[in-house]
Amino acid sequence: MNAWSVRPARVEDAKAIVGLVSYYADKGLLLPRSLSHIYSHIRDYMVAEVDGRVVGCGALEVVWGGLGEVRSLAVEEGMRGLGIGRALVEHLLEDARRLGLDKVFALTYIEDFFEQFGFRRVPKESLPHKIWRDCIHCPKFPECDEVAMILELT
Ligand SMILES: CC(C)(COP(=O)(O)OP(=O)(O)OC[C@H]1O[C@@H](n2cnc3c(N)ncnc32)[C@H](O)[C@@H]1OP(=O)(O)O)[C@@H](O)C(=O)NCCC(=O)NCCS
């Protein structure tokens, strides 16, 4: 197997991104995303590829002035543990800095993973109400057991 690399997503990656996100959405780990949603947010996404095949993805969505969210982070089951997830997050955070964001948050079950980048757990109530707009579409709503984590970039 050749080395993997991370790059901004292109439109032809959209179906592979849906496949990755759906796989983990079925396990209750991610929110499902439609192909239409991925196309319209394609500029938010980074993908990891090996030999032209997409094996990982993650998105940075600008939520509000100064605030971004890491979303839809997924690495193909057989490719986990190789540093791809970390590289995806690092690329997304680099993009957040380029965009001039002050803070990035994530809603997650894997606190340890996000801590390595400096994210710290915060009360969910401290995040702006706007972020909950997607939650009503979540099968777990309103019994959300994810934790909110935030990283200050400045
Ligand atoms: C979370 C995920 C993206 C990590 O991707 P990955 O490529 O396997 O992670 P990496 O290989 O880059 O791991 C980097 C570090 O994070 C740690 N880590 C990886 N997955 C972890 C997890 N689920 N929980 C805690 N730590 C984790 C690794 O041990 C590694 O640390 P090390 O370098 O000290 O060994 C991947 O496991 C995944 O797709 N999970 C299912 C979907 C999901 O839960 N997404 C996150 C929603 S917010």
Side-chain angles (χ1 to χ4, degrees), residues 72-150:
S72 302
L73 183 66
V75 172
E76 192 179 278
E77 197 88 68
M79 298 295 291
R80 285 164 68 165
L82 301 176
I84 297 176
R86 180 187 289 141
L88 283 164
V89 173
E90 281 166 355
H91 277 73
L92 296 173
L93 295 178
E94 200 179 303
D95 207 28
R97 290 191 180 90
R98 179 189 66 80
L99 286 162
L101 296 178
D102 304 321
K103 295 177 187 175
V104 174
F105 73 92
L107 294 168
T108 187
Y109 297 107
I110 49 171
E111 211 172 327
D112 296 356
F113 177 80
F114 281 96
E115 271 176 358
Q116 66 190 312
F117 306 98
F119 283 79
R120 292 289 167 259
R121 190 170 178 168
V122 291
K124 280 186 210 158
E125 304 71 42
S126 68
L127 297 173
H129 286 155
K130 188 172 186 292
I131 71 155
W132 307 115
R133 70 196 184 288
D134 270 355
C135 294
I136 51 168
H137 304 298
C138 176
K140 293 184 181 170
F141 182 81
E143 308 296 332
C144 175
D145 49 357
E146 289 182 321
V147 298
M149 300 192 74
I150 203 155

Side-chain angles (χ1 to χ4, degrees), residues 13-26 30 33-35 38 54 57 74 76:
D13 304 320
K15 285 181 184 159
I17 293 171
V18 171
L20 278 168
V21 174
S22 304
Y23 177 82
Y24 290 114
D26 288 348
L30 294 178
R33 294 288 177 214
S34 67
L35 188 56
I38 302 292
V54 172
C57 65
E76 192 179 278

